[in-house]
Amino acid sequence: MPPTGLQGDLFGGGASRPRAATSEPQVAASKKPPPSPPDADGTSLLGPMEGAPPPPPKPERVVLSVGELTRQLKQTLESRFARVIVRGEVTGFRGPNARGHWYFALKDSGASIDAKVWASMAARLRFALRDGMEVLAESSVDLYEPQGRYSLIVNRLEPVGEGALALAFEQLKERLAQEGLIGPGRVRPPRPLPFLPQRIGVVTSRTGAALQDFLRVLHSRNPRQSVLVADARVQGEGSAVEVARAIQRLSRTDVDVIVVTRGGGSVEDLWTFNEELVARAIFASPVPVVSAIGHEIDFTIADFVADLRSPTPSAAAERLAPVLADLELTLATQAGRLRRAMERRVLELREEQGQLASLLEDPRRAINHQRLHLSEQVESMMRVLRPSVRGHREGLRALTERLQRARPQARLGEQRAHLLKLAMRLSEAVRSGVAERQGALASARLVLERASPAAQVSREHARLAAQRSRLLALQQGALADAQRRFQRLEGRLDAMSPLKVMSRGYSVVFRQRDGAVVRTGADVQVGERLGLKLASNGAKTLGGCEEIEATVTAVKGPVDC
């Protein structure tokens, strides 16, 4: 490594130190006449002068590595430019990266330099940076050794021509107006304040003068007014979070209105109420919010978002607390007016009631008249219905007799008796045929016995077997014909049976009081109980049918079925 004293020669700062030791010889030599110019071969034309000092030794050549040179440049630049204020135009800004750092460049008409803003610094900026904005950057010079590039590390940033707070105020105001939180296009219009709130919530510093002014004016107007105070810092780092949290806590209580207040001060003192967090907390509050911040000339973002802006804390107290004595006087006056109005109205209603009572007819007289009329109508109806009922009963009796004669059970019994007769006749015919065949067989047997030829016997045996087969066939055929005829008769009888008709969804309706079958609507009366026979589950008789009980609710006239 070269001696450190010689490395200073690269920057001019340490070059005087090696020459300091030889300053006197150089001065002395300067008084000597200049040497003659050398020849082409490097030797002086005059030759060495007698008594002249020897020439100084040539300095040793210093060779630096890239890293050593970069480190020396880094030390020099960072120590020389530890704090500089640079003015320039922002270019190449693309917003924060994944870690929240900002990277951009500052340029003017002749040069450009990279700049960096770390995430911790970017979070404290109160305005939005954009390309083309002219800014003042208080920063330090940093050299990145691996790439040999230098840049500015910004520690403070403010726009040129307008204050950072004023720019941040306008930018936030514009953004909230676009979202509908403030301005003529706000999503939710200002909510009306209660005339006489039961409890008032106050967000402010417990030790501030604004709270004392508010309470003094409030209780001087209405000593019974209830107040719930949420203590929060109203200026300084982290105060916006406390104010927003206090608004959220009060909105979850039973307060009817929330007052956000503090005393006057500079723009920096009131900046807590220009924070976006406080503005969104006010907008999200479910109860109305009154902003009473600073003096009458002070305006904050909270004033635009709140449902009502009050110029001072005292004015907010006057707006929320009517004078108790005035309220009591107004209440007493209104109560007297209401009492006199009610008395007049009661007298008017009593007079109206008397007039209506004189016009009202006795309802008992009308009821008696209606009863007499109803009795006459009933007697007239009975005189008309009695002959009709008598005729219907006679017709029903005749129909019942006809039904008894045409009962399916009687017809079925007759058919069964006839079938038994046929079966008996068939059996007698079969027996007579068999007897005849047996007689013939006996005669043949006698003839055979008389003739007694073997061939004749064989023929007769064969003939006998044939006759026997024929007889059996005739017997079976006659029996099959009789069974088929019986089945046909049984099918015809079953088709004529009312149970067959009922099995297709029809039913037989009869009155329960006398068991008569209902054939027309005139056979029943309203309120009469009926029975409905349904042939289901293969019922063979009316006694095996299902029965449904019903009550007649209305009888309609004849219509086309």
Side-chain angles (χ1 to χ4, degrees):
M1 293 290 292
T4 56
L6 297 178
Q7 293 184 14
D9 298 342
L10 295 173
F11 310 104
S16 61
R17 288 197 297 269
R19 289 196 296 267
T22 59
S23 58
E24 293 180 359
Q26 288 178 358
V27 173
S30 62
K31 297 178 181 180
K32 301 293 183 180
S36 59
D39 293 336
D41 58 358
T43 60
S44 175
L45 297 176
L46 300 177
M49 298 180 62
E50 295 181 0
K58 294 181 179 180
E60 184 179 359
R61 186 174 63 175
V62 179
V63 179
L64 299 177
S65 65
V66 175
E68 292 170 350
L69 177 60
T70 305
R71 279 191 295 272
Q72 292 186 27
L73 289 172
K74 179 179 178 67
Q75 293 173 2
T76 304
L77 288 176
E78 292 183 354
S79 60
R80 173 66 177 81
F81 302 101
R83 180 179 178 274
V84 292
I85 299 177
V86 180
R87 178 173 179 171
E89 180 183 340
V90 176
T91 182
F93 178 64
R94 297 293 180 267
N97 64 0
R99 296 184 178 181
H101 306 319
W102 292 359
Y103 295 93
F104 56 93
L106 292 177
K107 70 174 183 178
D108 56 12
S109 59
S112 175
I113 184 172
D114 292 337
K116 303 174 185 177
V117 179
W118 304 132
S120 58
M121 172 61 191
R124 295 196 299 269
L125 287 181
R126 302 185 183 277
F127 63 93
L129 194 66
R130 62 178 182 270
D131 277 358
M133 180 183 292
E134 189 174 7
V135 296
L136 290 178
E138 181 180 340
S139 55
S140 59
V141 177
D142 175 71
L143 191 145
Y144 185 57
E145 296 183 29
Q147 297 181 0
R149 298 176 59 182
Y150 73 97
S151 59
L152 297 178
I153 305 298
V154 179
N155 300 319
R156 185 178 178 184
L157 200 65
E158 62 181 41
V160 176
E162 55 182 337
L165 296 181
L167 179 60
F169 182 89
E170 294 299 329
Q171 288 179 348
L172 179 59
K173 184 178 177 182
E174 181 181 356
R175 186 166 67 253
L176 294 181
Q178 292 176 356
E179 295 182 15
L181 271 68
I182 62 175
R186 63 185 296 167
V187 177
R188 184 191 65 202
R191 293 166 290 190
L193 301 182
F195 172 71
L196 186 62
Q198 297 296 322
R199 175 175 286 189
I200 301 174
V202 180
V203 177
T204 188
S205 175
R206 187 173 54 186
T207 59
L211 178 61
Q212 304 304 322
D213 294 342
F214 180 84
L215 295 177
R216 176 177 52 78
V217 175
L218 186 74
H219 290 155
S220 65
R221 296 172 65 86
N222 190 351
R224 301 176 184 176
Q225 191 71 57
S226 175
V227 177
L228 181 61
V229 179
D231 185 27
R233 289 186 299 144
V234 292
Q235 71 181 61
E237 190 71 23
S239 58
V241 177
E242 294 188 14
V243 171
R245 189 177 300 140
I247 295 173
Q248 294 171 359
R249 288 202 308 269
L250 285 178
S251 64
R252 291 192 293 266
T253 61
D254 59 345
V255 297
D256 298 326
V257 65
I258 297 176
V259 179
V260 181
T261 182
R262 69 148 289 160
S266 63
V267 176
E268 290 79 4
D269 295 337
L270 302 178
W271 191 257
T272 298
F273 302 94
N274 290 325
E275 294 286 352
E276 183 177 359
L277 183 63
V278 175
R280 295 190 181 278
I282 293 175
F283 187 81
S285 173
V287 298
V289 178
V290 177
S291 174
I293 300 166
H295 300 297
E296 188 170 356
I297 60 174
D298 297 325
F299 278 90
T300 63
I301 296 295
D303 296 331
F304 297 103
V305 182
D307 297 284
L308 176 69
R309 180 199 176 254
S310 184
T312 60
S314 301
E318 293 177 357
R319 173 63 180 82
L320 295 175
V323 179
L324 182 60
D326 295 344
L327 291 176
E328 292 175 347
L329 179 60
T330 303
L331 184 61
T333 304
Q334 296 295 335
R337 292 179 179 176
L338 181 61
R339 187 182 305 106
R340 290 190 294 272
M342 290 299 297
E343 291 175 353
R344 287 194 302 270
R345 183 57 180 167
V346 168
L347 293 176
E348 293 174 358
L349 291 176
R350 284 179 179 176
E351 293 178 359
E352 185 178 355
Q353 181 183 7
Q355 295 174 1
L356 293 175
S358 62
L359 299 176
L360 182 64
E361 185 181 358
D362 189 359
R364 291 174 294 184
R365 185 181 306 169
I367 291 174
N368 292 332
H369 179 72
Q370 293 296 332
R371 281 179 179 175
L372 292 175
H373 180 70
L374 182 61
S375 298
E376 293 176 358
Q377 294 296 327
V378 170
E379 291 294 334
S380 176
M381 182 182 64
M382 294 305 295
R383 286 193 299 269
V384 174
L385 286 178
R386 285 192 187 102
S388 179
V389 170
R390 189 180 302 109
H392 283 91
R393 283 180 179 175
E394 293 176 356
L396 181 61
R397 187 179 300 109
L399 292 175
T400 303
E401 293 175 356
R402 288 180 59 189
L403 180 62
Q404 292 297 330
R405 289 192 299 270
R407 287 180 61 191
Q409 291 83 354
R411 297 288 301 275
L412 186 60
E414 293 176 359
Q415 294 295 332
R416 285 178 179 175
H418 183 64
L419 185 61
L420 289 175
K421 291 179 181 179
L422 293 177
M424 291 175 65
R425 289 175 61 187
L426 180 61
S427 299
E428 291 176 358
V430 171
R431 283 196 298 270
S432 62
V434 171
E436 290 177 359
R437 295 299 180 182
Q438 287 178 351
L441 182 60
S443 300
R445 185 179 295 169
L446 290 174
V447 174
L448 181 61
E449 287 178 354
R450 293 190 189 99
S452 184
Q456 187 67 25
V457 171
S458 298
R459 286 195 297 271
E460 289 298 331
H461 276 298
R463 184 170 174 271
L464 179 61
Q467 293 294 333
R468 183 179 294 172
S469 299
R470 183 181 177 188
L471 178 62
L472 292 175
L474 290 173
Q475 183 178 2
Q476 291 177 358
L479 183 60
D481 292 340
Q483 288 178 351
R484 284 193 295 272
R485 186 169 180 273
F486 176 78
Q487 290 176 356
R488 286 197 300 273
L489 293 174
E490 186 179 11
R492 291 174 59 188
L493 180 61
D494 186 49
M496 295 174 63
S497 174
L499 296 175
K500 191 70 174 180
V501 178
M502 293 168 64
S503 65
R504 294 198 296 270
Y506 295 90
S507 62
V508 177
V509 183
F510 61 93
R511 293 190 300 239
Q512 288 193 353
R513 56 185 174 86
D514 55 1
V517 176
V518 177
R519 296 183 178 277
T520 64
D523 294 343
V524 297
Q525 297 179 1
V526 176
E528 190 171 17
R529 297 181 63 82
L530 303 179
L532 286 78
K533 291 285 189 177
L534 303 175
S536 61
N537 300 326
K540 299 299 183 182
T541 63
L542 285 175
C545 295
E546 295 180 349
E547 181 175 349
I548 298 175
E549 293 184 3
T551 303
V552 177
T553 59
V555 178
K556 298 182 180 180
V559 295
D560 294 335
C561 296

